[in-house]
Amino acid sequence: MAGTQRRGAAIAMDAAEVDAFLRAQPVCRVAVTASDGHPHLSPLWFVWDGAALWLNSLVRSRRWSDVVKQGRIAVVVDEGGFDFLALRGVELRGPAEVVGEVPRTGEPYDGLGEPERLFGEKYAGGRFRHDGRHGWLRLIPDEVVSWDFGKLRR
């Protein structure tokens, strides 16, 4: 996994905790700098394969065009509520790259079998469906920061 977390080490998740957390959570928030210079933030389904975060995005969306143009993104996956000690999350930063055909119609492409299998299991009852409107973005993070405020109880 990417670089060592320097701040908040007491509440940082270890690699196994980050992996389990990212595999279990349903929604991430993708942040990119928009063409007008403002942040653009949007929720999105995702899968984590242990090394990369895979985003299946509409290719005719503002998010897609901003990510393709800017290249670098930040993604937050979090959970919690009103109890401070229940707050947990992971932020991942790095370059996002387009993988496969755009839009994805199902042409064979090495490297997409696993993310499509994971996505199908997580969101589509076991089978990924190509709709000709979405494409794949892959984030291999340069930086990973995590927090689990529940560790403060220990």
Side-chain angles (χ1 to χ4, degrees), residues 11-124:
I11 60 170
M13 295 182 210
D14 64 29
E17 291 169 323
V18 167
D19 185 70
F21 182 79
L22 292 175
R23 290 180 189 274
Q25 295 304 309
V27 177
C28 69
R29 290 157 191 84
V30 179
V32 64
T33 304
S35 57
D36 64 4
H38 288 89
H40 178 216
L41 184 66
S42 57
L44 194 62
W45 285 350
F46 72 97
V47 291
W48 172 253
D49 69 6
L53 193 80
W54 292 87
L55 306 165
N56 191 250
S57 174
L58 284 167
V59 300
R60 296 186 71 181
S61 67
R62 178 177 175 193
R63 172 186 47 247
W64 182 273
S65 60
D66 287 344
V67 170
V68 169
K69 187 180 293 182
Q70 297 299 325
R72 294 190 61 79
I73 63 174
V75 176
V76 169
V77 180
D78 62 340
E79 72 173 359
F82 293 102
D83 178 2
F84 180 76
L85 295 177
L87 299 176
R88 299 188 318 150
V90 176
E91 179 184 3
L92 307 103
R93 294 184 185 184
E97 66 177 311
V98 175
V99 178
E101 62 184 324
V102 177
R104 182 89 171 111
T105 61
E107 292 294 319
Y109 192 88
D110 287 343
L112 288 178
E114 182 65 0
E116 289 180 349
R117 182 189 69 76
L118 291 169
F119 199 91
E121 288 178 1
K122 190 172 183 179
Y123 302 108

